[in-house]
PDB file of all heavy atoms in Angstrom:
ATOM      1  N   SER A  30       0.852  -1.186   0.000  1.00 94.00           N
ATOM      2  CA  SER A  30       0.000   0.000   0.000  1.00 94.00           C
ATOM      3  C   SER A  30       0.893   1.243   0.000  1.00 94.00           C
ATOM      4  O   SER A  30       1.574   1.523   0.993  1.00 94.00           O
ATOM      5  CB  SER A  30      -0.914  -0.008   1.230  1.00 94.00           C
ATOM      6  OG  SER A  30      -1.706   1.162   1.255  1.00 94.00           O
ATOM      7  N   LEU A  31       0.869   1.965  -1.122  1.00 95.00           N
ATOM      8  CA  LEU A  31       1.767   3.107  -1.283  1.00 95.00           C
ATOM      9  C   LEU A  31       1.007   4.300  -1.838  1.00 95.00           C
ATOM     10  O   LEU A  31      -0.003   4.154  -2.542  1.00 95.00           O
ATOM     11  CB  LEU A  31       2.914   2.751  -2.242  1.00 95.00           C
ATOM     12  CG  LEU A  31       3.883   1.658  -1.795  1.00 95.00           C
ATOM     13  CD1 LEU A  31       4.793   1.265  -2.948  1.00 95.00           C
ATOM     14  CD2 LEU A  31       4.711   2.134  -0.611  1.00 95.00           C
ATOM     15  N   ALA A  32       1.525   5.481  -1.554  1.00 95.00           N
ATOM     16  CA  ALA A  32       0.984   6.697  -2.162  1.00 95.00           C
ATOM     17  C   ALA A  32       1.299   6.685  -3.652  1.00 95.00           C
ATOM     18  O   ALA A  32       2.301   6.100  -4.092  1.00 95.00           O
ATOM     19  CB  ALA A  32       1.590   7.926  -1.501  1.00 95.00           C
ATOM     20  N   LEU A  33       0.459   7.325  -4.435  1.00 96.00           N
ATOM     21  CA  LEU A  33       0.645   7.346  -5.884  1.00 96.00           C
ATOM     22  C   LEU A  33       2.026   7.886  -6.265  1.00 96.00           C
ATOM     23  O   LEU A  33       2.674   7.373  -7.193  1.00 96.00           O
ATOM     24  CB  LEU A  33      -0.454   8.196  -6.535  1.00 96.00           C
ATOM     25  CG  LEU A  33      -0.380   8.357  -8.059  1.00 96.00           C
ATOM     26  CD1 LEU A  33      -0.488   7.004  -8.747  1.00 96.00           C
ATOM     27  CD2 LEU A  33      -1.470   9.313  -8.543  1.00 96.00           C
ATOM     28  N   ALA A  34       2.483   8.900  -5.540  1.00 96.00           N
ATOM     29  CA  ALA A  34       3.781   9.514  -5.874  1.00 96.00           C
ATOM     30  C   ALA A  34       4.924   8.510  -5.793  1.00 96.00           C
ATOM     31  O   ALA A  34       5.940   8.660  -6.495  1.00 96.00           O
ATOM     32  CB  ALA A  34       4.051  10.692  -4.938  1.00 96.00           C
ATOM     33  N   GLU A  35       4.784   7.482  -4.979  1.00 96.00           N
ATOM     34  CA  GLU A  35       5.867   6.509  -4.806  1.00 96.00           C
ATOM     35  C   GLU A  35       5.972   5.521  -5.956  1.00 96.00           C
ATOM     36  O   GLU A  35       7.038   4.960  -6.192  1.00 96.00           O
ATOM     37  CB  GLU A  35       5.688   5.753  -3.488  1.00 96.00           C
ATOM     38  CG  GLU A  35       5.830   6.626  -2.253  1.00 96.00           C
ATOM     39  CD  GLU A  35       5.836   5.812  -0.975  1.00 96.00           C
ATOM     40  OE1 GLU A  35       6.932   5.389  -0.552  1.00 96.00           O
ATOM     41  OE2 GLU A  35       4.746   5.591  -0.412  1.00 96.00           O
ATOM     42  N   ILE A  36       4.849   5.302  -6.670  1.00 96.00           N
ATOM     43  CA  ILE A  36       4.897   4.300  -7.739  1.00 96.00           C
ATOM     44  C   ILE A  36       5.080   4.914  -9.123  1.00 96.00           C
ATOM     45  O   ILE A  36       5.465   4.223 -10.067  1.00 96.00           O
ATOM     46  CB  ILE A  36       3.647   3.398  -7.729  1.00 96.00           C
ATOM     47  CG1 ILE A  36       2.415   4.160  -8.180  1.00 96.00           C
ATOM     48  CG2 ILE A  36       3.443   2.781  -6.352  1.00 96.00           C
ATOM     49  CD1 ILE A  36       1.225   3.259  -8.450  1.00 96.00           C
ATOM     50  N   LEU A  37       4.815   6.206  -9.276  1.00 96.00           N
ATOM     51  CA  LEU A  37       4.928   6.830 -10.601  1.00 96.00           C
ATOM     52  C   LEU A  37       6.301   6.646 -11.241  1.00 96.00           C
ATOM     53  O   LEU A  37       6.389   6.421 -12.458  1.00 96.00           O
ATOM     54  CB  LEU A  37       4.586   8.323 -10.510  1.00 96.00           C
ATOM     55  CG  LEU A  37       3.133   8.670 -10.164  1.00 96.00           C
ATOM     56  CD1 LEU A  37       2.940  10.186 -10.162  1.00 96.00           C
ATOM     57  CD2 LEU A  37       2.156   8.007 -11.137  1.00 96.00           C
ATOM     58  N   PRO A  38       7.423   6.734 -10.485  1.00 96.00           N
ATOM     59  CA  PRO A  38       8.743   6.580 -11.128  1.00 96.00           C
ATOM     60  C   PRO A  38       8.965   5.218 -11.777  1.00 96.00           C
ATOM     61  O   PRO A  38       9.885   5.066 -12.590  1.00 96.00           O
ATOM     62  CB  PRO A  38       9.726   6.799  -9.963  1.00 96.00           C
ATOM     63  CG  PRO A  38       8.970   7.625  -8.970  1.00 96.00           C
ATOM     64  CD  PRO A  38       7.558   7.143  -9.069  1.00 96.00           C
ATOM     65  N   LEU A  39       8.131   4.228 -11.477  1.00 96.00           N
ATOM     66  CA  LEU A  39       8.294   2.902 -12.058  1.00 96.00           C
ATOM     67  C   LEU A  39       7.839   2.834 -13.514  1.00 96.00           C
ATOM     68  O   LEU A  39       8.213   1.909 -14.243  1.00 96.00           O
ATOM     69  CB  LEU A  39       7.489   1.872 -11.258  1.00 96.00           C
ATOM     70  CG  LEU A  39       8.058   1.412  -9.922  1.00 96.00           C
ATOM     71  CD1 LEU A  39       6.993   0.700  -9.122  1.00 96.00           C
ATOM     72  CD2 LEU A  39       9.261   0.511 -10.136  1.00 96.00           C
ATOM     73  N   PHE A  40       7.045   3.801 -13.962  1.00 96.00           N
ATOM     74  CA  PHE A  40       6.391   3.700 -15.253  1.00 96.00           C
ATOM     75  C   PHE A  40       6.928   4.740 -16.232  1.00 96.00           C
ATOM     76  O   PHE A  40       7.439   5.784 -15.849  1.00 96.00           O
ATOM     77  CB  PHE A  40       4.873   3.853 -15.083  1.00 96.00           C
ATOM     78  CG  PHE A  40       4.263   2.764 -14.231  1.00 96.00           C
ATOM     79  CD1 PHE A  40       4.151   2.931 -12.853  1.00 96.00           C
ATOM     80  CD2 PHE A  40       3.851   1.576 -14.798  1.00 96.00           C
ATOM     81  CE1 PHE A  40       3.610   1.933 -12.055  1.00 96.00           C
ATOM     82  CE2 PHE A  40       3.312   0.570 -14.005  1.00 96.00           C
ATOM     83  CZ  PHE A  40       3.201   0.739 -12.638  1.00 96.00           C
ATOM     84  N   THR A  41       6.800   4.401 -17.516  1.00 95.00           N
ATOM     85  CA  THR A  41       7.268   5.314 -18.554  1.00 95.00           C
ATOM     86  C   THR A  41       6.303   6.489 -18.704  1.00 95.00           C
ATOM     87  O   THR A  41       5.134   6.433 -18.261  1.00 95.00           O
ATOM     88  CB  THR A  41       7.364   4.590 -19.907  1.00 95.00           C
ATOM     89  OG1 THR A  41       6.040   4.216 -20.337  1.00 95.00           O
ATOM     90  CG2 THR A  41       8.237   3.345 -19.805  1.00 95.00           C
ATOM     91  N   LYS A  42       6.771   7.520 -19.348  1.00 95.00           N
ATOM     92  CA  LYS A  42       5.910   8.689 -19.601  1.00 95.00           C
ATOM     93  C   LYS A  42       4.686   8.281 -20.412  1.00 95.00           C
ATOM     94  O   LYS A  42       3.563   8.718 -20.126  1.00 95.00           O
ATOM     95  CB  LYS A  42       6.704   9.771 -20.329  1.00 95.00           C
ATOM     96  CG  LYS A  42       5.868  10.973 -20.726  1.00 95.00           C
ATOM     97  CD  LYS A  42       6.674  11.972 -21.546  1.00 95.00           C
ATOM     98  CE  LYS A  42       5.769  13.037 -22.138  1.00 95.00           C
ATOM     99  NZ  LYS A  42       6.509  13.991 -22.997  1.00 95.00           N
ATOM    100  N   HIS A  43       4.865   7.414 -21.404  1.00 95.00           N
ATOM    101  CA  HIS A  43       3.743   6.952 -22.218  1.00 95.00           C
ATOM    102  C   HIS A  43       2.702   6.243 -21.357  1.00 95.00           C
ATOM    103  O   HIS A  43       1.492   6.458 -21.514  1.00 95.00           O
ATOM    104  CB  HIS A  43       4.256   6.012 -23.309  1.00 95.00           C
ATOM    105  CG  HIS A  43       3.160   5.405 -24.143  1.00 95.00           C
ATOM    106  ND1 HIS A  43       2.473   6.105 -25.112  1.00 95.00           N
ATOM    107  CD2 HIS A  43       2.622   4.144 -24.136  1.00 95.00           C
ATOM    108  CE1 HIS A  43       1.570   5.326 -25.668  1.00 95.00           C
ATOM    109  NE2 HIS A  43       1.642   4.124 -25.094  1.00 95.00           N
ATOM    110  N   GLU A  44       3.164   5.394 -20.427  1.00 94.00           N
ATOM    111  CA  GLU A  44       2.243   4.679 -19.545  1.00 94.00           C
ATOM    112  C   GLU A  44       1.522   5.646 -18.609  1.00 94.00           C
ATOM    113  O   GLU A  44       0.330   5.468 -18.309  1.00 94.00           O
ATOM    114  CB  GLU A  44       3.007   3.620 -18.736  1.00 94.00           C
ATOM    115  CG  GLU A  44       3.492   2.448 -19.585  1.00 94.00           C
ATOM    116  CD  GLU A  44       4.434   1.531 -18.826  1.00 94.00           C
ATOM    117  OE1 GLU A  44       5.282   2.052 -18.050  1.00 94.00           O
ATOM    118  OE2 GLU A  44       4.345   0.302 -19.006  1.00 94.00           O
ATOM    119  N   LEU A  45       2.223   6.636 -18.148  1.00 95.00           N
ATOM    120  CA  LEU A  45       1.586   7.618 -17.253  1.00 95.00           C
ATOM    121  C   LEU A  45       0.501   8.398 -17.992  1.00 95.00           C
ATOM    122  O   LEU A  45      -0.585   8.629 -17.450  1.00 95.00           O
ATOM    123  CB  LEU A  45       2.643   8.569 -16.684  1.00 95.00           C
ATOM    124  CG  LEU A  45       3.712   7.944 -15.783  1.00 95.00           C
ATOM    125  CD1 LEU A  45       4.667   9.021 -15.283  1.00 95.00           C
ATOM    126  CD2 LEU A  45       3.074   7.223 -14.601  1.00 95.00           C
ATOM    127  N   LEU A  46       0.780   8.817 -19.214  1.00 95.00           N
ATOM    128  CA  LEU A  46      -0.225   9.549 -19.994  1.00 95.00           C
ATOM    129  C   LEU A  46      -1.465   8.679 -20.211  1.00 95.00           C
ATOM    130  O   LEU A  46      -2.604   9.164 -20.112  1.00 95.00           O
ATOM    131  CB  LEU A  46       0.367   9.973 -21.336  1.00 95.00           C
ATOM    132  CG  LEU A  46       1.402  11.103 -21.295  1.00 95.00           C
ATOM    133  CD1 LEU A  46       2.076  11.256 -22.645  1.00 95.00           C
ATOM    134  CD2 LEU A  46       0.744  12.417 -20.883  1.00 95.00           C
ATOM    135  N   ALA A  47      -1.242   7.382 -20.476  1.00 93.00           N
ATOM    136  CA  ALA A  47      -2.367   6.479 -20.745  1.00 93.00           C
ATOM    137  C   ALA A  47      -3.211   6.221 -19.497  1.00 93.00           C
ATOM    138  O   ALA A  47      -4.389   5.870 -19.592  1.00 93.00           O
ATOM    139  CB  ALA A  47      -1.849   5.161 -21.305  1.00 93.00           C
ATOM    140  N   SER A  48      -2.618   6.410 -18.315  1.00 94.00           N
ATOM    141  CA  SER A  48      -3.342   6.126 -17.068  1.00 94.00           C
ATOM    142  C   SER A  48      -4.214   7.276 -16.604  1.00 94.00           C
ATOM    143  O   SER A  48      -5.026   7.119 -15.690  1.00 94.00           O
ATOM    144  CB  SER A  48      -2.340   5.791 -15.956  1.00 94.00           C
ATOM    145  OG  SER A  48      -1.659   6.974 -15.529  1.00 94.00           O
ATOM    146  N   SER A  49      -4.080   8.443 -17.222  1.00 93.00           N
ATOM    147  CA  SER A  49      -4.796   9.629 -16.753  1.00 93.00           C
ATOM    148  C   SER A  49      -6.259   9.607 -17.193  1.00 93.00           C
ATOM    149  O   SER A  49      -6.545   9.490 -18.398  1.00 93.00           O
ATOM    150  CB  SER A  49      -4.132  10.898 -17.280  1.00 93.00           C
ATOM    151  OG  SER A  49      -4.854  12.038 -16.863  1.00 93.00           O
ATOM    152  N   PRO A  50      -7.208   9.714 -16.258  1.00 93.00           N
ATOM    153  CA  PRO A  50      -8.624   9.811 -16.661  1.00 93.00           C
ATOM    154  C   PRO A  50      -8.892  11.042 -17.520  1.00 93.00           C
ATOM    155  O   PRO A  50      -9.784  11.025 -18.369  1.00 93.00           O
ATOM    156  CB  PRO A  50      -9.361   9.917 -15.318  1.00 93.00           C
ATOM    157  CG  PRO A  50      -8.405   9.354 -14.305  1.00 93.00           C
ATOM    158  CD  PRO A  50      -7.044   9.714 -14.806  1.00 93.00           C
ATOM    159  N   GLU A  51      -8.138  12.090 -17.288  1.00 90.00           N
ATOM    160  CA  GLU A  51      -8.270  13.306 -18.081  1.00 90.00           C
ATOM    161  C   GLU A  51      -7.145  13.351 -19.103  1.00 90.00           C
ATOM    162  O   GLU A  51      -5.969  13.193 -18.745  1.00 90.00           O
ATOM    163  CB  GLU A  51      -8.194  14.544 -17.182  1.00 90.00           C
ATOM    164  CG  GLU A  51      -9.250  14.561 -16.086  1.00 90.00           C
ATOM    165  CD  GLU A  51      -9.047  15.735 -15.141  1.00 90.00           C
ATOM    166  OE1 GLU A  51      -8.201  16.605 -15.452  1.00 90.00           O
ATOM    167  OE2 GLU A  51      -9.724  15.768 -14.107  1.00 90.00           O
ATOM    168  N   PRO A  52      -7.443  13.525 -20.377  1.00 91.00           N
ATOM    169  CA  PRO A  52      -6.392  13.568 -21.405  1.00 91.00           C
ATOM    170  C   PRO A  52      -5.349  14.652 -21.092  1.00 91.00           C
ATOM    171  O   PRO A  52      -5.706  15.779 -20.719  1.00 91.00           O
ATOM    172  CB  PRO A  52      -7.155  13.892 -22.696  1.00 91.00           C
ATOM    173  CG  PRO A  52      -8.560  13.463 -22.407  1.00 91.00           C
ATOM    174  CD  PRO A  52      -8.795  13.708 -20.944  1.00 91.00           C
ATOM    175  N   LEU A  53      -4.091  14.286 -21.240  1.00 93.00           N
ATOM    176  CA  LEU A  53      -2.993  15.230 -20.999  1.00 93.00           C
ATOM    177  C   LEU A  53      -2.216  15.440 -22.290  1.00 93.00           C
ATOM    178  O   LEU A  53      -2.057  14.501 -23.081  1.00 93.00           O
ATOM    179  CB  LEU A  53      -2.054  14.692 -19.914  1.00 93.00           C
ATOM    180  CG  LEU A  53      -2.658  14.494 -18.524  1.00 93.00           C
ATOM    181  CD1 LEU A  53      -1.644  13.810 -17.603  1.00 93.00           C
ATOM    182  CD2 LEU A  53      -3.090  15.826 -17.931  1.00 93.00           C
ATOM    183  N   PRO A  54      -1.716  16.658 -22.529  1.00 93.00           N
ATOM    184  CA  PRO A  54      -0.930  16.909 -23.749  1.00 93.00           C
ATOM    185  C   PRO A  54       0.329  16.046 -23.783  1.00 93.00           C
ATOM    186  O   PRO A  54       1.049  15.947 -22.786  1.00 93.00           O
ATOM    187  CB  PRO A  54      -0.584  18.403 -23.648  1.00 93.00           C
ATOM    188  CG  PRO A  54      -1.573  18.963 -22.685  1.00 93.00           C
ATOM    189  CD  PRO A  54      -1.897  17.879 -21.724  1.00 93.00           C
ATOM    190  N   LYS A  55       0.582  15.434 -24.929  1.00 92.00           N
ATOM    191  CA  LYS A  55       1.771  14.590 -25.063  1.00 92.00           C
ATOM    192  C   LYS A  55       3.058  15.400 -25.030  1.00 92.00           C
ATOM    193  O   LYS A  55       4.147  14.853 -24.849  1.00 92.00           O
ATOM    194  CB  LYS A  55       1.694  13.785 -26.356  1.00 92.00           C
ATOM    195  CG  LYS A  55       0.559  12.763 -26.364  1.00 92.00           C
ATOM    196  CD  LYS A  55       0.551  11.966 -27.665  1.00 92.00           C
ATOM    197  CE  LYS A  55      -0.582  10.930 -27.650  1.00 92.00           C
ATOM    198  NZ  LYS A  55      -0.614  10.135 -28.904  1.00 92.00           N
ATOM    199  N   THR A  56       2.932  16.692 -25.202  1.00 93.00           N
ATOM    200  CA  THR A  56       4.126  17.562 -25.219  1.00 93.00           C
ATOM    201  C   THR A  56       4.643  17.870 -23.815  1.00 93.00           C
ATOM    202  O   THR A  56       5.720  18.450 -23.665  1.00 93.00           O
ATOM    203  CB  THR A  56       3.806  18.873 -25.941  1.00 93.00           C
ATOM    204  OG1 THR A  56       2.664  19.477 -25.316  1.00 93.00           O
ATOM    205  CG2 THR A  56       3.505  18.624 -27.413  1.00 93.00           C
ATOM    206  N   LEU A  57       3.868  17.514 -22.792  1.00 94.00           N
ATOM    207  CA  LEU A  57       4.314  17.787 -21.421  1.00 94.00           C
ATOM    208  C   LEU A  57       5.594  17.023 -21.095  1.00 94.00           C
ATOM    209  O   LEU A  57       5.765  15.869 -21.494  1.00 94.00           O
ATOM    210  CB  LEU A  57       3.227  17.385 -20.419  1.00 94.00           C
ATOM    211  CG  LEU A  57       1.974  18.256 -20.319  1.00 94.00           C
ATOM    212  CD1 LEU A  57       1.013  17.648 -19.305  1.00 94.00           C
ATOM    213  CD2 LEU A  57       2.346  19.679 -19.912  1.00 94.00           C
ATOM    214  N   LYS A  58       6.465  17.678 -20.366  1.00 95.00           N
ATOM    215  CA  LYS A  58       7.645  16.987 -19.849  1.00 95.00           C
ATOM    216  C   LYS A  58       7.219  16.034 -18.739  1.00 95.00           C
ATOM    217  O   LYS A  58       6.168  16.214 -18.111  1.00 95.00           O
ATOM    218  CB  LYS A  58       8.664  17.992 -19.296  1.00 95.00           C
ATOM    219  CG  LYS A  58       9.176  18.983 -20.325  1.00 95.00           C
ATOM    220  CD  LYS A  58      10.070  18.308 -21.347  1.00 95.00           C
ATOM    221  CE  LYS A  58      10.695  19.340 -22.289  1.00 95.00           C
ATOM    222  NZ  LYS A  58      11.528  18.686 -23.316  1.00 95.00           N
ATOM    223  N   ARG A  59       8.054  15.022 -18.492  1.00 95.00           N
ATOM    224  CA  ARG A  59       7.679  14.011 -17.503  1.00 95.00           C
ATOM    225  C   ARG A  59       7.328  14.607 -16.138  1.00 95.00           C
ATOM    226  O   ARG A  59       6.313  14.223 -15.547  1.00 95.00           O
ATOM    227  CB  ARG A  59       8.789  12.967 -17.362  1.00 95.00           C
ATOM    228  CG  ARG A  59       8.392  11.856 -16.379  1.00 95.00           C
ATOM    229  CD  ARG A  59       9.498  10.885 -16.060  1.00 95.00           C
ATOM    230  NE  ARG A  59       9.006   9.966 -15.054  1.00 95.00           N
ATOM    231  CZ  ARG A  59       8.479   8.766 -15.313  1.00 95.00           C
ATOM    232  NH1 ARG A  59       8.396   8.340 -16.553  1.00 95.00           N
ATOM    233  NH2 ARG A  59       8.033   7.999 -14.338  1.00 95.00           N
ATOM    234  N   PRO A  60       8.144  15.525 -15.560  1.00 95.00           N
ATOM    235  CA  PRO A  60       7.776  16.086 -14.252  1.00 95.00           C
ATOM    236  C   PRO A  60       6.387  16.727 -14.272  1.00 95.00           C
ATOM    237  O   PRO A  60       5.627  16.614 -13.300  1.00 95.00           O
ATOM    238  CB  PRO A  60       8.875  17.119 -13.974  1.00 95.00           C
ATOM    239  CG  PRO A  60      10.051  16.624 -14.766  1.00 95.00           C
ATOM    240  CD  PRO A  60       9.459  16.036 -15.999  1.00 95.00           C
ATOM    241  N   ALA A  61       6.044  17.381 -15.371  1.00 96.00           N
ATOM    242  CA  ALA A  61       4.729  18.020 -15.469  1.00 96.00           C
ATOM    243  C   ALA A  61       3.625  16.971 -15.538  1.00 96.00           C
ATOM    244  O   ALA A  61       2.527  17.170 -14.992  1.00 96.00           O
ATOM    245  CB  ALA A  61       4.680  18.931 -16.692  1.00 96.00           C
ATOM    246  N   VAL A  62       3.920  15.839 -16.226  1.00 95.00           N
ATOM    247  CA  VAL A  62       2.935  14.758 -16.288  1.00 95.00           C
ATOM    248  C   VAL A  62       2.669  14.217 -14.884  1.00 95.00           C
ATOM    249  O   VAL A  62       1.513  14.011 -14.478  1.00 95.00           O
ATOM    250  CB  VAL A  62       3.426  13.634 -17.225  1.00 95.00           C
ATOM    251  CG1 VAL A  62       2.486  12.415 -17.139  1.00 95.00           C
ATOM    252  CG2 VAL A  62       3.516  14.132 -18.657  1.00 95.00           C
TER     253      VAL A  62
END
């Protein structure tokens, strides 16, 4: 059981964008994503 912030570094930027319920611009840098 972990906070979301702890698991995000495990995934690629593409995977993070795909996980968002709200569409995010693909041009965002990873920290912004």
Side-chain angles (χ1 to χ4, degrees):
S30 178
L31 295 170
L33 178 61
E35 294 188 89
I36 71 169
L37 293 182
L39 283 165
F40 298 90
T41 66
K42 176 185 170 183
H43 176 75
E44 290 171 321
L45 296 181
L46 288 170
S48 73
S49 178
E51 302 174 9
L53 297 174
K55 294 181 179 180
T56 55
L57 287 178
K58 300 290 186 182
R59 183 187 176 95
V62 172

